[in-house]
Amino acid sequence: MDIGTLLPRHARYRPDHLAVVFEDHRLTFRQFNARVNRVANALLAAGLAKGDKVATVLPNCLEQLEVYWAAAKTGLVVVPMSPLLQESGLASLLDNSDAALVISTGAFAAALDRVRGRLPRIRDDRWVLTDGARPGFLGYGDLVANASESEPPDAELVGDDPYNIIYSSGTTGEPKGIVHTHEVRAGYCALFASAFRMTPESVCLHAGSIVFNGAFLDLMPWMYLGGTYFLHPAFDAGRVIEEVERSKITHLVMVPSQIIALLNHPAFAPEKLASLEMIQSVGAPLHLEYKHRLNEALPGRFYELYGLTEGFMTVLDRDDAVRKAGSVGAPIGFYEMRILGEDGQEVPAGQIGEICGRGPLMMAGYYKRPDLTAKAVVDGWLHSGDLGYVDKDGYLFLVDRK
């Protein structure tokens, strides 16, 4: 289960298929693979080795996509960080993750300059800015300029090798770095491609931030199948509507506030979004009022996902979206779910308890925190900290935090 094999496979067998669209860039799989190889080889030439951590502090950009797939090929561990982090949180996560190299933009140069003295693990020549060199920082273009477009050396990756660390906090409380392996991300590829009825002809649009785990819900299936991935720099409801109509987008993943903005936009019209096969809500419950509006305007397209980055998910399928409108669906394939009472015993349908689950997409653990991992995963079951109940058909309904 080496997800680094996916991109070169498409570069070989469907090289001219449109792979990535970002702003003025329209890249085939052959072209995207060549760019990713340059980044992969450049990072290795900088002295990084399998298992080293590459932190990114980036808005949506082509470079973030390149780093994701360069890490997949080389065995480097990518640590995407939110560009909304405050300086103290940024320093905390860079230190906690054992970052060996940082890629960011000029907008963060001053903040990074102020914290770099507290991060001696990161060499002076491993601070990189995507928008060009400046004192103390190497330009991303300079980093990759002389790198080969050939495939990097075989990293001999196996399923248990870590691929990423995603932080669930850092500005408040103790930072918890959630580690996902290649095998877990391969599971995202296959299980969500199936759950969302995606094919090699699917066209995804992602307009929300791609540094959060929800972005991997379409990022991984896209690469697995060899579809087309449109990325917007930031969410704009009007631009999303235009893009769907112009580019015949089939799959959208959005948070509830973005769905609401879409529905309330003056340009919203069902006929403009006719190509859509999925509108998926993730990240928080979508109010019933908007579910009803969406299902009426665009029937047979709405999916809702409830899940934890740590590794338990349920999906409300499009075919259940009306009859189970208040639910967040049922566990995805290969998953089990239990609702446990305060005594730790499973409660009957209709009774509220803690939502617990187990399955193949579970995190390897919290980075360097076996104590927190042991509290979250007990006897192989992830304890969500969320309260809910199942109806007589086994569909999950959320109630509150524990």
Side-chain angles (χ1 to χ4, degrees):
M1 291 294 187
D2 170 3
I3 60 172
T5 62
L6 296 174
L7 178 54
R9 177 180 181 274
H10 298 316
R12 180 177 184 181
Y13 295 112
R14 48 196 293 129
D16 299 321
H17 187 79
L18 182 62
V20 176
V21 180
F22 178 77
E23 298 292 69
D24 295 332
H25 296 278
R26 296 179 66 86
L27 303 172
T28 65
F29 276 107
R30 180 193 289 114
Q31 293 168 329
F32 186 56
N33 188 56
R35 293 177 66 107
V36 168
N37 284 346
R38 290 174 65 195
V39 177
N41 287 315
L43 293 173
L44 295 176
L48 298 182
K50 180 180 179 180
D52 284 343
K53 316 302 188 298
V54 176
T56 62
V57 191
L58 293 169
N60 283 3
C61 57
L62 190 56
E63 292 88 350
Q64 181 73 71
L65 287 179
E66 291 172 353
V67 171
Y68 277 155
W69 295 107
K73 291 188 177 207
T74 56
L76 298 172
V77 180
V78 64
V79 189
M81 296 183 182
S82 170
L84 301 177
L85 277 170
Q86 299 298 313
E87 191 172 305
S88 60
L90 183 61
S92 172
L93 298 194
L94 287 172
D95 179 58
N96 183 265
S97 67
D98 299 321
L101 182 143
V102 180
I103 300 175
S104 189
T105 71
F108 286 90
L112 291 171
D113 249 341
R114 288 191 291 269
V115 303
R116 66 195 299 169
R118 296 152 55 185
L119 300 162
R121 186 182 294 107
I122 307 174
R123 289 180 357 195
D124 287 344
D125 59 347
R126 291 181 177 173
W127 298 84
V128 182
L129 300 179
T130 57
D131 45 359
R134 61 180 68 188
F137 294 90
L138 179 68
Y140 184 90
D142 298 322
L143 175 71
V144 305
N146 298 315
S148 170
E149 293 184 352
S150 300
E151 292 295 328
D154 185 358
E156 299 182 355
L157 289 161
V158 296
D160 288 341
D161 283 326
Y163 167 67
N164 67 254
I165 303 174
I166 290 184
Y167 280 89
S168 62
S169 69
T171 54
T172 60
E174 296 179 279
K176 293 190 293 184
I178 299 166
V179 180
H180 295 120
T181 64
H182 276 253
E183 184 172 12
V184 166
R185 288 310 189 192
Y188 271 66
C189 289
L191 291 178
F192 291 119
S194 172
F196 305 149
R197 297 175 174 85
M198 293 175 68
T199 73
E201 289 68 52
S202 294
V203 182
C204 302
L205 167 61
H206 206 96
S209 174
I210 58 169
V211 303
F212 300 112
N213 195 56
F216 289 83
L217 296 171
D218 56 2
L219 186 73
M220 290 290 128
W222 152 64
M223 183 59 76
Y224 172 58
L225 294 166
T228 301
Y229 189 87
F230 281 74
L231 179 65
H232 282 183
F235 177 78
D236 178 275
R239 185 175 177 184
V240 167
I241 292 168
E242 291 174 5
E243 191 76 81
V244 171
E245 184 176 27
R246 178 177 60 250
S247 303
K248 300 296 183 280
I249 302 297
T250 61
H251 288 71
L252 271 179
V253 175
M254 295 189 290
V255 297
S257 60
Q258 293 168 345
I259 292 176
I260 293 167
L262 200 73
L263 288 168
N264 290 336
H265 195 276
F268 177 81
E271 59 272 18
K272 294 181 180 179
L273 306 178
S275 65
L276 285 174
E277 299 169 14
M278 179 186 84
I279 301 175
Q280 184 209 122
S281 178
V282 66
L286 178 64
H287 194 279
L288 270 173
E289 171 194 349
Y290 297 102
K291 289 187 186 182
H292 292 321
R293 282 178 59 184
L294 194 55
N295 284 321
E296 288 172 7
L298 293 163
R301 270 88 155 200
F302 179 68
Y303 295 70
E304 186 167 21
L305 184 141
Y306 158 76
L308 285 76
T309 303
E310 288 87 342
F312 174 68
M313 294 89 172
T314 64
V315 170
L316 179 67
D317 186 72
R318 68 183 191 188
D319 292 344
D320 298 322
V322 173
R323 71 185 187 93
K324 297 289 185 181
S327 167
V328 290
I332 61 175
F334 303 113
Y335 262 86
E336 298 174 83
M337 175 175 63
R338 291 177 178 172
I339 308 297
L340 301 185
E342 292 184 2
D343 60 358
Q345 299 300 306
E346 193 167 1
V347 301
Q351 190 168 322
I352 295 171
E354 184 179 12
I355 302 164
C356 301
R358 66 179 180 185
L361 307 185
M362 299 272 282
M363 66 174 177
Y366 294 117
Y367 187 58
K368 300 190 298 189
R369 293 306 304 264
D371 55 330
L372 297 179
T373 304
K375 290 180 180 178
V377 183
V378 181
D379 295 328
W381 289 84
L382 177 64
H383 289 241
S384 69
D386 293 331
L387 296 176
Y389 66 91
V390 297
D391 65 10
K392 62 181 179 59
D393 299 318
Y395 285 75
L396 179 63
F397 290 74
L398 300 181
V399 175
D400 204 347
R401 286 291 291 169
K402 189 176 178 182

